[in-house]
Amino acid sequence: MRDEEFIELKKLERIVKKFNRDLDSIIVEGFDDRDVMRDLGFDGKIFLSAEMSTEDLVENVERGSDKTAVLTDFDSHGKRQNEEIRHALQGRVKNSISARKEFGLQLTSNDRHAVEDARPLLEDKDQKFDDAALSRLFTLE
């Protein structure tokens, strides 16, 4: 893993750690997005927007969560979907716009526009020792 990719991964993991502290759930588009968020360390509920209508999605989120973040893709389709879901959540579930913004800024700063685009950062499991050495070299505070 290149140094830049290691730093990118650690920044995403740090953001997800805050999600674990501040959010009950997140909303992503599909299965691959869900898997990436799990691999990044998110341990709350994950709702998939591609699996149901916006109304059904919001009802499920409302039943299972007090505070969520919409992490649909950061392309034009995902942004429209975010607006639709965000509007439907109003008055029903707290939605952290700042969580989406922080995650999106980090993701798109490296030309990634979907949660699943972070998958390559997570694929090389044999990098543990290199990563441990890199973590001693880079302070990411």
Side-chain angles (χ1 to χ4, degrees), residues 29 72-83 100:
E29 287 188 28
T72 53
D73 292 348
F74 296 88
D75 58 12
S76 59
H77 175 269
K79 288 176 183 178
R80 281 191 308 275
Q81 192 176 29
N82 168 55
E83 289 297 319
R100 175 181 172 79

Side-chain angles (χ1 to χ4, degrees), residues 78-92:
K79 288 176 183 178
R80 281 191 308 275
Q81 192 176 29
N82 168 55
E83 289 297 319
E84 182 180 329
I85 294 168
R86 195 175 87 192
H87 178 73
L89 287 169
Q90 282 182 337
R92 298 173 78 174

Side-chain angles (χ1 to χ4, degrees), residues 40-129:
L40 286 171
F42 187 72
D43 57 14
K45 295 175 185 158
I46 301 178
F47 296 95
L48 306 181
S49 66
E51 293 296 299
M52 59 193 76
S53 70
T54 299
E55 185 175 312
D56 289 342
L57 172 67
V58 170
E59 285 178 18
N60 286 339
V61 173
E62 187 176 29
R63 276 194 299 268
S65 179
D66 292 321
K67 189 165 185 185
T68 194
V70 181
L71 300 179
T72 53
D73 292 348
F74 296 88
D75 58 12
S76 59
H77 175 269
K79 288 176 183 178
R80 281 191 308 275
Q81 192 176 29
N82 168 55
E83 289 297 319
E84 182 180 329
I85 294 168
R86 195 175 87 192
H87 178 73
L89 287 169
Q90 282 182 337
R92 298 173 78 174
V93 177
K94 292 177 189 166
N95 176 31
S96 177
I97 297 167
S98 62
R100 175 181 172 79
K101 184 177 180 178
E102 182 179 15
F103 190 82
L105 283 172
Q106 179 56 47
L107 198 66
T108 59
S109 71
N110 292 290
D111 204 31
R112 301 179 197 279
H113 298 281
V115 173
E116 67 189 37
D117 292 345
R119 168 69 59 213
L121 299 173
L122 300 160
E123 288 182 341
D124 195 352
K125 299 295 184 191
D126 295 328
Q127 286 289 129
K128 286 186 220 174
F129 297 109

